[in-house]
Amino acid sequence: MSFPEKCKDAILAGDIDLSQNLAQKAVAENLDINAAIDAFSLAIREAGNLFEEGEFFLPELMRSAEAMKAAMTVFDPIISEGKEDRSLGRVVIGTIEGDIHDIGKTLVASMLSAEGFDVHDLGADVPISTFIDTALEVNADIICISALLTTTMVGQKRLIDTLKEKNLRDKFKILIGGAPVSKKWTEEIGADGTAENAISAVKLARNLVGL
Ligand code: B12
Protein backbone atom coordinates (compact mmCIF):
# COMPACT_ATOMS: atom_id res chain seq x y z
CA MET A 1 0.00 0.00 0.00
CA SER A 2 1.36 3.46 -0.86
CA PHE A 3 2.05 6.11 1.80
CA PRO A 4 -1.02 8.24 0.83
CA GLU A 5 -3.21 5.13 0.95
CA LYS A 6 -1.93 4.27 4.41
CA CYS A 7 -2.61 7.86 5.56
CA LYS A 8 -6.11 7.66 4.17
CA ASP A 9 -6.83 4.40 5.99
CA ALA A 10 -5.43 5.72 9.28
CA ILE A 11 -7.35 9.00 9.10
CA LEU A 12 -10.63 7.45 8.00
CA ALA A 13 -10.32 4.86 10.78
CA GLY A 14 -9.66 7.74 13.20
CA ASP A 15 -6.60 5.80 14.39
CA ILE A 16 -4.50 8.30 16.37
CA ASP A 17 -1.57 5.95 17.04
CA LEU A 18 -1.35 4.74 13.47
CA SER A 19 -1.51 8.29 12.06
CA GLN A 20 1.21 9.45 14.42
CA ASN A 21 3.35 6.41 13.62
CA LEU A 22 2.98 7.06 9.91
CA ALA A 23 4.03 10.67 10.39
CA GLN A 24 7.03 9.57 12.47
CA LYS A 25 7.96 7.02 9.82
CA ALA A 26 7.75 9.70 7.11
CA VAL A 27 10.17 11.85 9.10
CA ALA A 28 12.50 8.94 9.92
CA GLU A 29 12.62 7.92 6.25
CA ASN A 30 13.23 11.50 5.12
CA LEU A 31 10.12 11.65 2.97
CA ASP A 32 9.25 15.07 1.60
CA ILE A 33 7.39 16.70 4.51
CA ASN A 34 5.11 18.78 2.28
CA ALA A 35 4.12 15.70 0.29
CA ALA A 36 3.45 13.82 3.53
CA ILE A 37 1.28 16.67 4.86
CA ASP A 38 -0.56 16.73 1.52
CA ALA A 39 -1.33 13.02 1.89
CA PHE A 40 -2.84 13.63 5.34
CA SER A 41 -4.71 16.72 4.09
CA LEU A 42 -6.27 14.73 1.24
CA ALA A 43 -7.30 12.06 3.73
CA ILE A 44 -9.01 14.50 6.11
CA ARG A 45 -10.83 16.08 3.15
CA GLU A 46 -12.03 12.61 2.18
CA ALA A 47 -13.43 12.31 5.73
CA GLY A 48 -15.23 15.61 5.09
CA ASN A 49 -16.67 14.26 1.84
CA LEU A 50 -17.93 11.16 3.64
CA PHE A 51 -19.49 13.43 6.26
CA GLU A 52 -21.20 15.46 3.55
CA GLU A 53 -22.49 12.29 1.89
CA GLY A 54 -23.92 11.07 5.18
CA GLU A 55 -21.49 8.12 5.36
CA PHE A 56 -19.72 9.65 8.36
CA PHE A 57 -21.36 11.20 11.41
CA LEU A 58 -19.86 13.95 13.55
CA PRO A 59 -18.13 11.62 16.10
CA GLU A 60 -16.35 9.86 13.21
CA LEU A 61 -15.33 13.16 11.62
CA MET A 62 -14.03 14.27 15.03
CA ARG A 63 -11.99 11.09 15.47
CA SER A 64 -10.50 11.61 11.98
CA ALA A 65 -9.64 15.19 12.92
CA GLU A 66 -7.95 14.01 16.15
CA ALA A 67 -5.87 11.54 14.12
CA MET A 68 -4.93 14.36 11.72
CA LYS A 69 -3.92 16.62 14.60
CA ALA A 70 -1.81 13.83 16.10
CA ALA A 71 0.09 13.52 12.81
CA MET A 72 0.54 17.29 12.66
CA THR A 73 2.14 17.34 16.14
CA VAL A 74 4.96 15.31 14.57
CA PHE A 75 5.37 17.68 11.60
CA ASP A 76 4.96 21.01 13.42
CA PRO A 77 8.38 21.13 15.13
CA ILE A 78 10.07 20.18 11.86
CA ILE A 79 8.25 22.85 9.88
CA SER A 80 9.17 25.41 12.52
CA GLU A 81 12.91 24.61 12.49
CA GLY A 82 15.19 27.46 11.48
CA LYS A 83 13.06 30.13 13.05
CA GLU A 84 15.99 32.37 14.04
CA ASP A 85 15.51 35.01 11.38
CA ARG A 86 12.20 36.61 12.24
CA SER A 87 12.68 39.82 10.34
CA LEU A 88 10.34 39.33 7.39
CA GLY A 89 7.37 40.95 9.07
CA ARG A 90 4.75 40.52 11.75
CA VAL A 91 1.66 38.40 11.16
CA VAL A 92 -1.48 38.06 13.25
CA ILE A 93 -3.41 34.91 12.35
CA GLY A 94 -6.54 33.19 13.62
CA THR A 95 -9.74 31.41 12.70
CA ILE A 96 -12.68 33.76 12.77
CA GLU A 97 -15.32 33.77 15.53
CA GLY A 98 -17.89 30.96 15.47
CA ASP A 99 -15.47 28.64 13.71
CA ILE A 100 -13.39 26.03 15.52
CA HIS A 101 -11.51 24.58 12.50
CA ASP A 102 -7.83 25.15 13.20
CA ILE A 103 -5.79 22.50 11.37
CA GLY A 104 -5.24 24.50 8.16
CA LYS A 105 -4.75 27.78 10.01
CA THR A 106 -2.09 26.21 12.25
CA LEU A 107 -0.32 24.81 9.19
CA VAL A 108 -0.25 28.26 7.57
CA ALA A 109 1.01 29.78 10.86
CA SER A 110 3.80 27.19 11.18
CA MET A 111 4.96 27.68 7.59
CA LEU A 112 4.96 31.48 7.90
CA SER A 113 6.93 31.18 11.10
CA ALA A 114 9.40 28.78 9.48
CA GLU A 115 9.86 31.26 6.64
CA GLY A 116 10.93 33.94 9.12
CA PHE A 117 7.74 35.86 9.89
CA ASP A 118 7.02 36.79 13.48
CA VAL A 119 3.69 35.01 13.89
CA HIS A 120 1.06 35.73 16.54
CA ASP A 121 -1.38 32.82 16.40
CA LEU A 122 -4.63 33.72 18.17
CA GLY A 123 -6.11 30.24 17.81
CA ALA A 124 -9.66 29.50 16.68
CA ASP A 125 -13.05 31.12 17.32
CA VAL A 126 -11.37 34.53 17.56
CA PRO A 127 -13.51 37.68 17.96
CA ILE A 128 -12.97 40.48 15.44
CA SER A 129 -11.93 42.86 18.22
CA THR A 130 -9.13 40.48 19.29
CA PHE A 131 -7.75 40.36 15.74
CA ILE A 132 -7.73 44.16 15.54
CA ASP A 133 -6.45 44.85 19.06
CA THR A 134 -3.57 42.38 18.64
CA ALA A 135 -2.69 43.69 15.17
CA LEU A 136 -2.43 47.21 16.61
CA GLU A 137 -0.55 46.03 19.68
CA VAL A 138 2.15 44.14 17.76
CA ASN A 139 2.13 46.60 14.85
CA ALA A 140 1.32 43.79 12.41
CA ASP A 141 2.09 43.93 8.70
CA ILE A 142 -0.40 41.22 7.78
CA ILE A 143 -3.64 39.91 9.27
CA CYS A 144 -4.52 36.34 8.19
CA ILE A 145 -8.11 35.26 8.67
CA SER A 146 -9.14 31.63 8.27
CA ALA A 147 -12.76 30.44 7.87
CA LEU A 148 -13.90 26.92 7.00
CA LEU A 149 -17.65 27.41 7.11
CA THR A 150 -19.81 29.28 4.64
CA THR A 151 -21.60 30.67 7.68
CA THR A 152 -18.44 32.10 9.28
CA MET A 153 -16.80 33.43 6.08
CA VAL A 154 -18.92 36.53 6.52
CA GLY A 155 -16.78 37.29 9.58
CA GLN A 156 -13.85 37.92 7.23
CA LYS A 157 -15.91 40.65 5.57
CA ARG A 158 -17.01 42.03 8.94
CA LEU A 159 -13.41 42.31 10.07
CA ILE A 160 -12.44 44.27 6.96
CA ASP A 161 -15.53 46.47 7.27
CA THR A 162 -14.68 47.18 10.92
CA LEU A 163 -11.14 48.19 9.95
CA LYS A 164 -12.59 50.54 7.32
CA GLU A 165 -14.97 52.07 9.88
CA LYS A 166 -12.04 52.70 12.22
CA ASN A 167 -9.94 54.14 9.36
CA LEU A 168 -7.42 51.34 9.88
CA ARG A 169 -7.84 49.37 6.65
CA ASP A 170 -4.67 50.73 5.03
CA LYS A 171 -2.56 49.94 8.06
CA PHE A 172 -2.56 46.18 7.37
CA LYS A 173 -2.43 43.75 4.46
CA ILE A 174 -5.17 41.17 4.76
CA LEU A 175 -4.99 37.56 3.65
CA ILE A 176 -8.00 35.30 3.85
CA GLY A 177 -8.25 31.55 3.44
CA GLY A 178 -10.03 28.31 4.17
CA ALA A 179 -11.75 25.76 1.91
CA PRO A 180 -14.84 27.84 0.99
CA VAL A 181 -12.88 31.03 0.20
CA SER A 182 -12.69 31.94 -3.51
CA LYS A 183 -10.89 34.62 -5.52
CA LYS A 184 -14.30 36.19 -6.16
CA TRP A 185 -15.05 36.44 -2.41
CA THR A 186 -11.57 37.87 -1.82
CA GLU A 187 -12.20 40.65 -4.34
CA GLU A 188 -15.76 41.21 -3.18
CA ILE A 189 -14.76 41.91 0.41
CA GLY A 190 -11.59 43.82 -0.48
CA ALA A 191 -8.98 41.49 1.01
CA ASP A 192 -5.43 41.61 -0.39
CA GLY A 193 -5.28 37.96 -1.37
CA THR A 194 -6.08 34.34 -0.74
CA ALA A 195 -4.21 31.05 -1.10
CA GLU A 196 -5.35 27.48 -1.42
CA ASN A 197 -2.60 26.04 0.73
CA ALA A 198 0.11 26.96 3.18
CA ILE A 199 2.92 27.04 0.63
CA SER A 200 1.09 29.53 -1.61
CA ALA A 201 0.13 31.49 1.51
CA VAL A 202 3.82 31.96 2.33
CA LYS A 203 4.61 33.13 -1.24
CA LEU A 204 1.76 35.60 -1.10
CA ALA A 205 2.80 36.90 2.32
CA ARG A 206 6.35 37.47 1.02
CA ASN A 207 4.95 39.40 -1.95
CA LEU A 208 2.80 41.50 0.31
CA VAL A 209 5.76 42.65 2.37
CA GLY A 210 7.66 43.44 -0.82
CA LEU A 211 9.99 40.43 -1.00
C1 B12 B 1 -11.57 18.38 10.22
C2 B12 B 1 -12.92 19.00 10.07
C3 B12 B 1 -13.66 19.26 11.23
C4 B12 B 1 -13.09 19.07 12.64
C5 B12 B 1 -12.22 20.30 12.99
C6 B12 B 1 -11.07 19.97 13.91
C7 B12 B 1 -10.10 21.10 14.03
N1 B12 B 1 -9.59 21.26 15.24
O1 B12 B 1 -9.81 21.86 13.11
C8 B12 B 1 -14.41 18.99 13.49
C9 B12 B 1 -14.83 17.53 13.53
C10 B12 B 1 -14.32 19.51 14.92
C11 B12 B 1 -15.36 19.75 12.59
C12 B12 B 1 -16.51 20.37 13.06
C13 B12 B 1 -17.47 20.92 12.22
N2 B12 B 1 -17.46 20.90 10.87
CO1 B12 B 1 -15.93 20.44 9.82
N3 B12 B 1 -14.65 19.80 8.60
C14 B12 B 1 -13.45 19.28 8.78
C15 B12 B 1 -12.86 18.93 7.39
C16 B12 B 1 -13.13 17.44 7.14
C17 B12 B 1 -11.38 19.16 7.16
C18 B12 B 1 -10.83 20.56 7.47
C19 B12 B 1 -9.33 20.46 7.53
O2 B12 B 1 -8.75 20.41 8.61
N4 B12 B 1 -8.66 20.33 6.35
C20 B12 B 1 -7.22 20.13 6.23
C21 B12 B 1 -6.49 21.47 6.20
C22 B12 B 1 -4.98 21.22 6.04
O3 B12 B 1 -6.95 22.18 5.07
P1 B12 B 1 -7.75 23.58 5.19
O4 B12 B 1 -8.41 23.69 6.49
O5 B12 B 1 -8.56 23.76 3.97
O6 B12 B 1 -6.56 24.65 5.18
C23 B12 B 1 -5.71 24.87 4.06
C24 B12 B 1 -6.23 25.95 3.09
O7 B12 B 1 -7.62 26.15 3.13
C25 B12 B 1 -5.43 27.16 3.42
N5 B12 B 1 -5.89 28.05 4.51
C26 B12 B 1 -6.59 27.79 5.62
N6 B12 B 1 -6.73 28.86 6.37
C27 B12 B 1 -6.10 29.87 5.75
C28 B12 B 1 -5.93 31.20 6.07
C29 B12 B 1 -5.24 32.04 5.21
C30 B12 B 1 -5.07 33.48 5.55
C31 B12 B 1 -4.69 31.53 3.99
C32 B12 B 1 -3.99 32.43 3.05
C33 B12 B 1 -4.85 30.17 3.66
C34 B12 B 1 -5.55 29.36 4.54
O8 B12 B 1 -4.17 26.61 3.80
C35 B12 B 1 -4.43 25.45 4.62
C36 B12 B 1 -3.23 24.55 4.59
O9 B12 B 1 -2.95 24.02 3.31
C37 B12 B 1 -13.71 19.86 6.46
C38 B12 B 1 -13.82 19.40 4.98
C39 B12 B 1 -13.04 20.25 4.00
N7 B12 B 1 -13.11 19.85 2.76
O10 B12 B 1 -12.45 21.25 4.34
C40 B12 B 1 -15.05 19.86 7.21
C41 B12 B 1 -16.03 21.00 6.99
C42 B12 B 1 -15.31 22.33 6.87
N8 B12 B 1 -16.83 20.98 8.22
C43 B12 B 1 -18.08 21.23 8.02
C44 B12 B 1 -19.07 21.32 9.03
C45 B12 B 1 -20.50 21.50 8.57
C46 B12 B 1 -18.72 21.24 10.40
C47 B12 B 1 -19.67 21.40 11.60
C48 B12 B 1 -20.67 22.58 11.49
C49 B12 B 1 -20.38 20.07 11.81
C50 B12 B 1 -21.52 20.07 12.83
N9 B12 B 1 -22.68 19.71 12.33
O11 B12 B 1 -21.34 20.39 13.96
C51 B12 B 1 -18.67 21.62 12.75
C52 B12 B 1 -18.31 23.12 12.90
C53 B12 B 1 -18.18 23.58 14.28
C54 B12 B 1 -17.72 25.03 14.30
N10 B12 B 1 -18.50 25.90 14.88
O12 B12 B 1 -16.68 25.40 13.76
C55 B12 B 1 -18.38 21.46 6.53
C56 B12 B 1 -18.62 22.93 6.17
C57 B12 B 1 -19.73 23.09 5.18
C58 B12 B 1 -19.99 24.51 4.85
N11 B12 B 1 -20.33 24.71 3.61
O13 B12 B 1 -19.89 25.42 5.62
C59 B12 B 1 -17.14 20.79 5.85
C60 B12 B 1 -16.75 21.42 4.48
C61 B12 B 1 -17.45 19.27 5.70
C62 B12 B 1 -18.52 18.97 4.68
N12 B12 B 1 -18.13 18.63 3.47
O14 B12 B 1 -19.69 19.03 5.00
N13 B12 B 1 -14.94 19.74 11.30
Side-chain angles (χ1 to χ4, degrees):
M1 212 191 275
S2 68
F3 182 76
E5 280 166 351
K6 284 184 193 159
C7 293
K8 187 172 152 189
D9 276 7
I11 295 292
L12 293 187
D15 192 328
I16 293 178
D17 290 340
L18 186 57
S19 300
Q20 206 159 30
N21 288 343
L22 276 168
Q24 276 155 352
K25 209 164 165 264
V27 174
E29 290 177 5
N30 273 327
L31 294 187
D32 179 61
I33 295 290
N34 290 326
I37 292 173
D38 274 352
F40 279 104
S41 298
L42 273 178
I44 188 71
R45 287 193 185 121
E46 176 63 24
N49 293 341
L50 291 171
F51 174 71
E52 198 168 30
E53 289 159 12
E55 296 278 325
F56 258 27
F57 293 104
L58 194 56
E60 288 156 313
L61 183 63
M62 286 176 76
R63 267 199 296 275
S64 292
E66 288 308 317
M68 169 85 185
K69 290 193 96 170
M72 291 307 297
T73 59
V74 177
F75 296 129
D76 264 342
I78 295 163
I79 299 172
S80 309
E81 269 170 20
K83 268 184 179 180
E84 313 83 46
D85 180 13
R86 295 173 154 278
S87 55
L88 294 193
R90 284 170 296 277
V91 176
V92 167
I93 186 168
T95 306
I96 199 69
E97 57 194 6
D99 199 325
I100 60 165
H101 294 88
D102 67 352
I103 297 172
K105 178 272 304 161
T106 305
L107 195 51
V108 173
S110 303
M111 296 242 180
L112 284 171
S113 180
E115 186 71 10
F117 284 92
D118 182 8
V119 177
H120 299 261
D121 186 346
L122 303 175
D125 192 12
V126 181
I128 287 171
S129 56
T130 309
F131 272 100
I132 298 177
D133 291 349
T134 313
L136 286 171
E137 202 178 295
V138 305
N139 195 16
D141 299 291
I142 308 177
I143 301 178
C144 288
I145 326 162
S146 186
L148 265 285
L149 298 169
T150 42
T151 47
T152 55
M153 263 166 76
V154 65
Q156 296 174 323
K157 178 175 185 318
R158 239 181 258 136
L159 202 160
I160 293 176
D161 288 347
T162 309
L163 285 173
K164 283 181 189 158
E165 279 159 25
K166 293 179 185 285
N167 273 330
L168 292 170
R169 174 63 188 91
D170 295 337
K171 220 174 147 33
F172 312 105
K173 298 290 183 193
I174 299 186
L175 282 183
I176 60 169
V181 171
S182 63
K183 282 247 153 58
K184 186 167 173 277
W185 174 247
T186 309
E187 281 162 20
E188 210 173 299
I189 69 172
D192 294 298
T194 183
E196 277 178 9
N197 57 53
I199 293 170
S200 315
V202 168
K203 280 192 197 142
L204 202 56
R206 287 183 65 99
N207 284 343
L208 286 180
V209 294
L211 293 168

